[in-house]
């Protein structure tokens, strides 16, 4: 790639702009509330891990993380396993209504969660799934399944059709071909699709909060508890925020080599 | 690629169809149902026909004026962030290193804001912008600016826009980076032999390759900024006054705040329709662009 003039400066400034607010959050999470409110310090002068200890020892706090991870995991597994065969079908075959179906799937990715909040509440209360991780996981399928189909379709299309034909000639049955040959070939695509399902389920709040009340409360809803009669507990809020960044950062590290292609939905 | 016609493919698609239909069609029917009825509590509903829709699309009523005010506000917001994020994203993508450990480091840092839960994004900026405990607010106020996003309309807008730039520019950058990586080195060598200027290389080689990813970027950014809810809600709560009340915030206020189900449902449907129309245009443009490319390949 040809470089542009001053590229190091532009890039450094932008990365600093991205990191500075995160640094500030990390900085605050290691301070006591007294230090946060009384002085402006660029780094914690009296570093403390009390905020983190509070979260790890209070069940109502750490169960929030477990609840969030539960529905994210369920959602990712459902999305990928449902989307894989569909992606193959869209990539290889022409069938009645295929284009309309594909567009309809995509249009759900574009539906504002705010529109669905109340009807989902009614629906999941009616079938008795309200306040379980399943409700949130199924609700998130609304936008994650279409996305997974979209990404996987791009990756399946990059596998030459001759491979399918050869496998069938060699006597592979369809399920055996799918699991033994196709899935290993698009392993990076499956990883990328799983990453995106994780990402969008992890960052979404409105539906997750509407569909839970006590037992399956996600961490994002627990965080609102830091407002109390004694004022905001800033240190605790910052520590909880930092802990929500960590799973994302770990996942990015695993897919870093495929991430750019993934963001182009497997279509570059 | 010519695909074979095979109606059995429906069997492979059926699970996806069922699970999305369960989450999409049933709730949508509920919304349609609410949108044509009125309620006075006690679960008693009365047929109201198109009454809510007429009220919604008439700017002289309370509901209509709120809808149009939030609609224009949201369009302005989407316009501003597209105008900033797309050029900035391209410039940053062009500044990325080509190889070495720097690439992975850049990618990880760039992707970081995208993986932060949206309410935490709001919290980060809420803290960062506060004049008393936030670095940004503190520095600005000490430089002599009277910056306060809680009381000043302009400051609230600036905070929400900068937050969105912080949150989503990386998406544009990553898309462009993927597009740029797919350009073979031979193109650049040819340009060098021809003595092409930096600008000519960008216009003749890089921009055409970016066309497709930029289309995805622009439309994803449009959709998501048009549906924005959590981040501005956490930072400004839609205020000061109504100055940062975008459509989703208005909708949730009407639906869950006032429990005006009919009004909220009518608003939902119109809102969804606007997005679906834009989505249809997007899909058509994209498939046509794809067809053009296939045709070009055939000629070459």
């Amino acid at each position: 790639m040809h470089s542009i003039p001053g590229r190091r400066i532009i890039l450094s400034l932008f990365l600093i702009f991205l990191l500075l607010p995160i640094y500030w959050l990390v900085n605050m999470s290691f301070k006591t509330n007294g230090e946060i409110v009384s002085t402006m310090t660029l780094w914690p002068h009296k570093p403390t891990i009390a905020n983190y200890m509070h979260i790890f020892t209070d069940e109502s706090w750490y169960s929030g993380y477990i609840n969030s991870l539960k529905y994210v995991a369920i959602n990712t597994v459902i999305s990928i396993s449902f989307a894989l065969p569909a992606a193959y079908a869209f990539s290889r075959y022409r069938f009645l209504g295929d284009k309309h179906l594909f567009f309809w799937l995509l249009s759900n990715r574009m539906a504002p969660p705010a529109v669905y909040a109340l009807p989902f509440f009614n629906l999941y209360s009616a079938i008795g799934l309200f306040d379980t991780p399943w409700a949130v996981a199924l609700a998130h399928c609304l936008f994650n399944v279409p996305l997974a189909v979209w990404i996987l379709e791009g990756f399946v299309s990059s596998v030459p059709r001759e491979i399918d034909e050869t496998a069938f000639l060699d006597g592979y049955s369809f399920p055996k071909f799918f699991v033994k040959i196709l899935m290993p070939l698009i392993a990076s695509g499956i990883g990328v699709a799983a990453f995106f399902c994780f990402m969008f389920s992890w960052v979404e709040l409105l539906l997750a909060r509407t569909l839970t009340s006590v037992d399956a409360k996600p961490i994002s809803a627990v965080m609102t508890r830091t407002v109390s009669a004694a004022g905001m507990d800033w240190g605790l809020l910052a520590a909880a925020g930092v802990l929500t960044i960590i799973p994302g950062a770990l996942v990015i590290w695993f897919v870093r080599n495929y991430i750019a292609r993934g963001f182009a939905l497997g279509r570059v | 690629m010519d695909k074979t016609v095979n109606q059995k493919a429906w069997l492979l698609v059926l699970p996806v169809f069922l699970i999305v239909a369960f989450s999409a069609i049933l709730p949508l029917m509920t919304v349609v149902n609410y949108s044509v009825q009125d309620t006075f509590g006690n679960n008693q509903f009365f047929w109201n026909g198109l009454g809510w829709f007429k009220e919604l699309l008439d700017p002289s009523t309370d509901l209509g004026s709120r809808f149009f005010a939030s609609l224009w506000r949201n369009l302005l917001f989407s316009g501003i962030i597209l105008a900033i994020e797309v050029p900035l994203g391209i410039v940053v993508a062009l500044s990325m290193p080509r190889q070495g450990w720097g690439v992975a480091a850049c990618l990880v840092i760039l992707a970081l804001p995208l993986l932060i839960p949206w309410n935490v994004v709001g919290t980060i900026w809420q803290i960062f912008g506060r004049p008393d405990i936030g670095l940004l607010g503190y520095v600005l106020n000490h430089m002599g600016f009277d910056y306060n996003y809680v009381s000043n309309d302009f400051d609230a807008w600036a905070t929400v826009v900068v937050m969105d730039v912080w949150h989503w520019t990386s998406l544009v950058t990553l898309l462009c980076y993927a597009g740029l990586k797919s350009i073979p080195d031979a193109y650049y060598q040819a340009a060098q032999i021809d003595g092409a200027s930096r600008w000519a290389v960008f216009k003749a080689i890089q921009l055409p390759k970016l066309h497709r990813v930029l289309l995805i970027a622009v439309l994803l950014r449009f959709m998501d900024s048009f549906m924005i809810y959590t981040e501005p809600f956490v930072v400004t709560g839609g205020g000061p006054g109504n100055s940062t009340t975008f459509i989703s915030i208005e909708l949730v206020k009407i639906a869950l705040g006032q429990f005006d189900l009919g009004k909220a449902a009518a608003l939902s449907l119109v809102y969804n329709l606007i997005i679906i129309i834009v989505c249809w245009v997007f899909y058509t443009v994209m498939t046509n662009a794809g067809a053009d490319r296939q045709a070009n390949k055939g000629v070459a």
Side-chain angles (χ1 to χ4, degrees):
Chain A
M1 257 175 260
H2 268 230
S3 54
I4 56 172
R7 50 162 274 243
R8 275 171 200 285
I9 299 170
I10 296 171
L11 191 65
S12 313
L13 284 178
F14 187 72
L15 294 182
I16 290 172
F17 168 65
L18 290 187
L19 287 176
L20 210 53
I22 298 177
Y23 168 71
W24 198 249
L25 193 75
V26 175
N27 173 20
M28 273 181 57
S29 71
F30 287 108
K31 290 181 184 176
T32 59
N33 276 315
E35 189 179 348
I36 291 171
V37 177
S38 61
T39 51
M40 177 55 74
T41 47
L42 288 177
W43 63 90
H45 288 296
K46 278 173 275 168
T48 169
I49 55 163
N51 296 317
Y52 289 97
M53 288 317 289
H54 184 105
I55 291 172
F56 286 126
T57 50
D58 184 347
E59 203 208 325
S60 63
W61 268 101
Y62 68 75
S63 69
Y65 286 97
I66 297 168
N67 290 335
S68 288
L69 288 172
K70 253 191 220 160
Y71 69 71
V72 169
I74 298 174
N75 173 270
T76 306
V77 171
I78 294 180
S79 299
I80 299 296
S81 48
F82 278 56
L84 263 173
Y88 181 80
F90 280 120
S91 157
R92 293 291 196 260
Y93 301 120
R94 200 175 281 278
F95 50 94
L96 190 66
D98 54 353
K99 286 194 175 143
H100 296 288
L101 186 64
F102 202 66
F103 172 71
W104 173 71
L105 284 175
L106 282 187
S107 72
N108 288 310
R109 165 65 183 81
M110 311 301 177
V115 169
Y116 285 92
L118 188 66
F120 271 166
F121 176 80
N122 290 345
L123 177 67
Y124 289 105
S125 303
I127 57 174
L129 284 179
F130 178 71
D131 203 18
T132 63
W134 288 94
V136 186
L138 284 173
H140 284 177
C141 281
L142 178 69
F143 44 84
N144 271 351
V145 168
L147 189 74
V149 173
W150 206 16
I151 295 175
L152 289 171
E153 197 264 335
F155 279 92
V156 175
S157 293
S158 66
V159 175
R161 185 190 292 262
E162 287 72 25
I163 291 183
D164 308 20
E165 285 157 8
T166 320
F168 293 135
L169 283 179
D170 285 350
Y172 277 84
S173 66
F174 183 74
K176 204 174 162 200
F177 153 75
F178 209 89
V179 176
K180 285 260 167 78
I181 295 183
L182 187 72
M183 280 173 61
L185 278 175
I186 56 165
S188 60
I190 295 175
V192 167
F195 166 76
F196 277 89
C197 292
F198 172 90
M199 165 174 159
F200 283 108
S201 187
W202 178 250
V203 298
E204 205 280 337
L205 164 78
L206 183 58
L207 291 176
R209 201 154 111 170
T210 312
L211 293 177
T212 54
S213 62
V214 183
D215 295 338
K217 208 173 182 183
I219 180 59
S220 37
V222 180
M223 281 178 68
T224 52
R225 288 196 332 168
T226 51
V227 195
S228 68
M232 284 292 279
D233 192 342
W234 293 111
L236 194 60
L237 182 69
V242 171
L243 289 175
T244 65
I245 299 177
I246 291 170
L250 287 177
V251 176
I252 298 171
W253 184 253
F254 287 118
V255 295
R256 64 188 182 282
N257 293 324
Y258 305 104
I259 204 168
R261 191 170 171 218
F263 274 101
L265 305 167
R267 274 176 172 66
V268 174
Chain B
M1 188 163 56
D2 44 330
K3 304 176 185 176
T4 39
V5 177
N6 184 348
Q7 302 302 346
K8 278 189 205 141
W10 257 101
L11 291 175
L12 297 174
V13 181
L14 199 62
V16 161
F17 176 76
L18 290 178
I19 197 162
V20 178
F22 176 74
S23 291
I25 294 178
L26 288 178
L28 202 61
M29 279 162 62
T30 323
V31 176
V32 173
N33 195 18
Y34 282 141
S35 74
V36 291
Q37 299 190 69
D38 196 1
T39 175
F40 301 104
N42 305 330
N43 268 329
Q44 283 182 302
F45 285 89
F46 303 94
W47 174 251
N48 191 29
L50 294 177
W52 296 128
F53 291 95
K54 283 184 190 140
E55 202 179 321
L56 183 73
L57 297 175
D58 179 2
S60 60
T61 61
D62 173 54
L63 180 65
S65 66
R66 281 166 71 182
F67 168 62
F68 281 104
S70 60
L71 178 65
W72 299 135
R73 217 175 275 137
N74 216 150
L75 285 173
L76 178 67
F77 175 72
S78 296
I80 294 176
I81 61 122
L82 279 176
I84 299 176
E85 288 176 13
V86 172
L88 182 62
I90 296 175
V91 168
V92 175
L94 288 170
S95 311
M96 292 268 293
R98 288 171 70 180
Q99 54 213 352
W101 62 271
V103 181
C106 283
L107 288 175
V108 171
I109 296 175
L110 281 171
L112 203 53
L114 300 171
L115 263 291
I116 299 177
W118 294 346
N119 68 314
V120 179
V121 170
T123 307
I124 288 176
W125 281 89
Q126 187 194 19
I127 293 173
F128 197 56
R130 278 177 71 103
D132 53 347
I133 59 169
L135 187 62
L136 177 73
Y138 184 83
V139 169
L140 282 177
N141 276 295
H142 277 251
M143 281 164 62
F145 296 100
D146 186 20
Y147 168 84
N148 187 336
Y149 65 80
V150 180
S151 60
N152 182 305
D153 286 6
F154 179 80
D155 293 348
W157 263 83
T159 310
V160 174
V161 167
V162 172
M163 173 174 68
D164 202 81
V165 169
W166 178 84
H167 190 183
W168 286 110
T169 305
S170 300
L171 179 75
V172 183
T173 303
L174 290 168
L175 279 164
C176 290
Y177 175 73
L180 288 172
K181 259 187 77 164
S182 71
I183 303 176
D185 267 346
Y187 284 39
Y188 293 117
Q189 286 155 10
Q192 212 166 17
I193 292 168
D194 289 345
S197 68
R198 181 70 199 85
W199 176 245
V201 169
F202 177 69
K203 246 180 72 175
I205 300 176
Q206 291 173 325
L207 202 57
K209 271 280 178 185
L210 290 183
H211 173 247
R212 204 172 150 78
V213 281
L214 276 181
L215 202 61
I216 301 178
V218 167
L219 282 137
L220 279 181
R221 281 315 302 132
F222 173 78
M223 306 293 167
D224 288 342
S225 64
F226 204 67
M227 304 192 291
I228 193 165
Y229 171 80
T230 310
E231 304 94 311
F233 183 77
V234 172
V235 176
T236 64
N242 278 328
S243 60
T244 52
T245 303
F246 300 117
I247 304 180
S248 279
I249 297 181
E250 192 72 82
L251 175 60
V252 172
K253 242 194 230 173
I254 297 173
L256 301 175
Q258 302 163 216
F259 236 70
D260 269 332
L261 297 183
K263 290 179 184 177
L267 174 56
S268 295
L269 288 178
V270 173
Y271 185 17
N272 218 340
L273 198 66
I274 297 173
I275 296 186
I276 287 177
I277 290 170
V278 178
C279 181
W280 174 246
V281 173
F282 161 41
Y283 184 71
T284 316
V285 172
M286 253 191 74
T287 41
N288 286 348
D292 284 352
R293 221 166 58 147
Q294 294 279 332
N296 288 341
K297 261 187 201 162
V299 173

